């Protein structure tokens, strides 16, 4: 048993980053002690132990931990594939002498039938004192235990250990003690209406399906819509604020992907992305508002945690800010933007320029000057124009002129106009001094110059 691979035996792997184990630490379930006692008794006397529950309720992991915790590490695990003919199993087991073995039948429904686990075979395994450990979906168990096609002879002798889909308060408390583990912390914080096992088990499946959907013969539009929803989630926009219209507008921020996505309509892509997988969730899950959507939580967490993930497009931050209603929601997005963009701003002029623009709108002139200057000094001409305008507006023309010259030289018309007006104002000041000192030509030049400097800015066409 010490060399057995739980994932190969049916335990769902979770999302993990390079260097992490496939499975996070196990969170104890309320029925672990009872299940452990049954496993020990089955190992002593033989018999069937069954764990039932909803899909992705953690049945296989719970059973695996029960046998790993309660049985000797030298126990040999026999794990046949569903549909395997088991009629010759007793002969094989008798030939193993005193070696302790157990029969692992994950997803028990695939092992029932005349060539599978029958009452006769189960009785023989009991005589050999071989425990049989199985897992089964609740509905499948009820159908075979109580329905017309019931295998009562196999299932009636073993009361199942049922795992509830929703975790109890005690299970939630035990989870809270393990929140230092990133995957469990993410499962607790962004799982939405899903259980922790659902979140952990579905993550890798959904991520792989999404990654492969970008092909033109697959679901390129659906892939793009999900990517936009992931990035909006990375911005901190709450799920009830990601409307269908916001997702439509977000597509334009990925021009290359959008050009290859035209083979699929927006509606078809949205239908594919929101379709249920495993009867539990889609890549997109409904938000709390009407016709709103959000990416499944593990997709956002996985993209956030991977160092090779592309950054959120700058325009997405603006879209997220405009879509966040109310000051509190806006503050969440803005705080997220500052936390993620500040480290990039010193090396990426586009990011610095965006930060300067937002700080200007917020009226935080000191921060606006800092980021616009960072961008302008790195050659960003739009930032140079914006910084020149800001400096001119707070009566700092000497600082404004070099930046306006930078932008004007790059062809930005509004910078050319403002630069001309500032230079004209300087000329007016010097000509006035000269005229007052008796310089006749300076006095003659002032009236036509003042027809320019005294003209209100809103009457001048660019």
């Amino acid at each position: 048993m010490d060399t057995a691979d739980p994932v190969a035996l049916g335990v769902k792997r979770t999302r993990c980053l390079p260097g992490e184990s496939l499975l996070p630490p196990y969170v104890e379930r309320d029925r672990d002690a009872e299940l452990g006692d049954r496993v020990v008794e089955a190992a002593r006397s033989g018999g069937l132990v069954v764990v039932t529950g909803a899909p992705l309720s953690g049945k296989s992991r719970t059973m695996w931990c029960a046998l790993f915790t309660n049985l000797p590490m030298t126990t040999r695990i026999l794990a046949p594939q569903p549909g395997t003919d088991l009629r010759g199993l007793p002969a094989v087991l008798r030939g193993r002498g005193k070696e302790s073995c157990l029969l692992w039948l994950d997803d028990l429904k695939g092992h029932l039938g005349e060539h599978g686990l029958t009452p006769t075979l189960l009785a023989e395994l009991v005589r050999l004192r071989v425990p049989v450990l199985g897992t089964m979906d609740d509905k499948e168990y009820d159908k075979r235990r109580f329905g017309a096609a019931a295998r009562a002879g196999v299932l009636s002798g073993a009361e199942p250990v049922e795992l509830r889909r929703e975790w109890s308060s005690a299970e939630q408390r035990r989870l809270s003690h393990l929140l230092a583990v990133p995957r469990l912390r993410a499962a607790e914080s962004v799982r939405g209406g899903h259980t922790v096992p659902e979140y952990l088990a579905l993550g890798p499946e959904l991520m792989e399906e999404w990654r492969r959907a970008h092909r033109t013969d697959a679901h390129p539009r659906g892939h793009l819509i999900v990517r936009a929803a992931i990035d909006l989630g990375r911005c901190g926009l709450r799920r009830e604020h990601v409307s269908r219209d916001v997702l439509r507008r977000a597509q334009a921020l990925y021009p290359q992907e959008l050009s290859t996505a035209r083979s699929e309509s927006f509606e078809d892509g949205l239908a594919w992305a929101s379709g249920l997988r495993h009867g539990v969730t889609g890549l997109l899950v409904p938000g709390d508002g009407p016709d709103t959507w959000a990416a499944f939580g593990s997709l956002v967490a996985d993209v956030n945690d991977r160092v090779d993930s592309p950054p959120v497009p700058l325009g997405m931050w603006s879209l997220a800010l405009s879509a966040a209603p109310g000051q509190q929601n806006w503050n969440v997005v803005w705080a997220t933007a500052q936390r993620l963009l500040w480290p990039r701003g010193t090396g990426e002029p586009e990011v610095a320029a965006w930060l300067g623009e937002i700080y200007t709108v917020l009226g935080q002139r000191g921060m606006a000057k800092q980021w616009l200057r960072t961008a302008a000094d790195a050659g960003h001409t739009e930032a140079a124009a914006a910084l020149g305008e800001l400096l001119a507006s707070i009566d700092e023309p000497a600082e404004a002129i070099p930046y306006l010259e930078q932008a004007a030289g790059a062809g930005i018309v509004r910078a050319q106009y403002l630069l001309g007006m500032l230079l004209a104002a300087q000329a007016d000041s010097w000509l006035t001094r000269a005229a007052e000192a008796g310089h006749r030509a300076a006095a003659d030049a002032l009236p036509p110059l003042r027809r320019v400097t005294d003209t209100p800015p809103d009457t001048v066409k660019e």
Side-chain angles (χ1 to χ4, degrees):
M1 188 168 70
D2 56 344
T3 60
D5 180 0
V7 174
L9 295 177
V11 177
K12 297 289 191 301
R13 66 184 180 93
T14 65
R15 74 176 190 92
C16 61
L17 301 175
E20 291 183 332
S21 63
L22 287 177
L23 300 176
Y26 178 68
V27 180
E28 294 181 15
R29 307 296 297 270
D30 290 343
R31 303 200 66 180
D32 280 353
E34 176 189 354
L35 178 60
D37 291 343
R38 294 198 191 183
V39 168
V40 170
E41 179 59 29
R44 182 184 302 116
S45 306
L48 174 64
V49 180
V50 182
V51 173
T52 65
L56 305 177
S57 57
K59 301 182 292 296
S60 301
R61 182 79 190 274
T62 299
M63 181 67 91
W64 167 258
C65 288
L67 73 91
F68 195 83
T69 303
N70 295 284
L71 298 186
M73 297 301 292
T74 55
T75 303
R76 181 178 292 274
I77 300 176
L78 305 176
Q81 293 296 313
T84 300
D85 191 332
L86 302 180
R87 289 175 294 179
L89 185 58
V92 173
L93 293 170
R94 282 191 290 268
R96 292 188 178 275
K98 295 183 178 181
E99 181 183 32
S100 61
C101 300
L102 68 85
L103 183 60
W104 173 273
L105 301 179
D106 190 56
D107 195 8
L108 184 56
K109 70 174 183 179
H111 298 280
L112 299 179
E114 59 179 345
H115 296 163
L117 186 64
T118 62
T120 301
L121 175 58
L122 181 58
E124 184 64 23
L125 294 175
V126 170
R127 282 193 293 272
L128 293 171
R129 296 184 179 179
V130 174
V132 181
L133 308 183
T135 65
M136 207 167 186
D137 179 89
D138 277 332
K139 292 182 179 179
E140 294 293 339
Y141 178 87
D142 291 346
K143 183 169 64 176
R144 285 163 173 76
R145 174 72 174 83
F146 308 112
R151 299 282 178 183
V154 172
L155 299 177
S156 62
E159 180 183 352
V161 175
E162 181 183 352
L163 290 185
R164 296 187 179 276
R165 178 182 178 274
E166 297 295 338
W167 281 26
S168 69
S169 57
E171 289 170 331
Q172 292 285 357
R173 283 196 300 274
R174 290 192 284 271
L175 170 64
S176 69
H177 296 153
L178 294 171
L179 295 185
V181 180
R183 280 175 288 179
L184 294 180
R185 183 171 62 249
E188 175 61 14
S189 61
V190 299
R191 60 190 171 89
H194 301 95
T195 67
V196 172
E198 287 171 351
Y199 172 92
L200 294 173
L202 284 172
E205 294 292 322
L206 296 180
M207 176 57 70
E208 185 63 21
E209 183 178 4
W210 174 63
R211 288 186 187 278
R212 293 183 57 80
H214 69 89
R215 306 187 319 273
T216 55
D217 62 344
H219 294 280
R221 179 80 65 169
H223 178 274
L224 175 56
I225 293 171
V226 173
R227 181 177 177 184
I230 290 173
D231 282 346
L232 286 165
R234 295 168 73 189
C235 290
L237 187 64
R238 294 173 59 88
R239 56 196 296 162
E240 63 264 32
H241 305 145
V242 185
S243 66
R244 183 185 300 251
D245 178 63
V246 169
L247 288 174
R248 282 187 184 275
R249 291 159 56 196
Q251 296 177 99
L253 300 172
Y254 311 90
Q256 183 175 348
E257 291 87 343
L258 183 58
S259 66
T260 61
R262 302 195 184 280
S263 59
E264 184 178 27
S265 70
F266 179 87
E267 297 302 327
D268 287 346
L270 183 60
W272 169 81
S274 59
L276 287 183
R277 276 75 170 171
H278 304 282
V280 175
T281 186
L283 295 160
L284 293 185
V285 297
D288 299 328
D291 200 18
T292 56
W293 302 93
F296 186 73
S298 69
L299 296 176
V300 179
D302 195 64
V303 171
N304 260 340
D305 291 343
R306 291 187 177 276
V307 296
D308 58 346
S309 296
V312 175
L314 278 179
M316 188 66 80
W317 293 103
S318 299
L319 178 59
L321 287 170
S322 67
Q327 191 64 43
Q328 183 176 359
N329 294 306
W330 194 95
N331 286 342
V332 170
V333 177
W334 176 230
T336 307
Q338 292 179 96
R339 175 172 57 84
L340 296 179
L341 295 182
W342 269 43
R344 294 172 50 195
T346 54
E348 299 180 44
E350 288 288 343
V351 174
W354 186 87
L355 287 168
E357 176 186 341
I358 298 300
Y359 279 118
T360 300
V361 172
L362 294 176
Q364 298 183 30
R365 291 173 174 173
M367 295 301 301
K369 286 197 293 183
Q370 172 186 323
W371 286 112
L372 289 174
R373 183 175 283 111
T374 297
D377 290 348
H380 195 290
T381 54
E382 278 291 341
L387 179 57
E389 291 169 337
L390 175 60
L391 292 169
S393 71
I394 57 177
D395 200 23
E396 296 181 11
E399 282 194 65
I401 285 174
Y403 290 105
L404 290 172
E405 287 177 334
Q406 176 185 341
I412 298 179
V413 175
R414 71 180 194 279
Q416 294 169 345
Y417 166 71
L418 182 55
L419 175 62
M421 294 300 291
L422 290 179
L423 293 176
Q426 285 189 343
D428 184 286
S429 175
W430 288 113
L431 287 172
T432 298
R433 288 191 183 187
E436 290 173 349
H439 195 289
R440 185 179 299 276
D444 293 340
L446 279 173
L449 178 61
R450 286 176 175 169
R451 283 198 294 271
V452 174
T453 58
D454 293 344
T455 301
D458 57 359
T459 66
V460 180
K461 296 183 179 180
E462 291 189 12

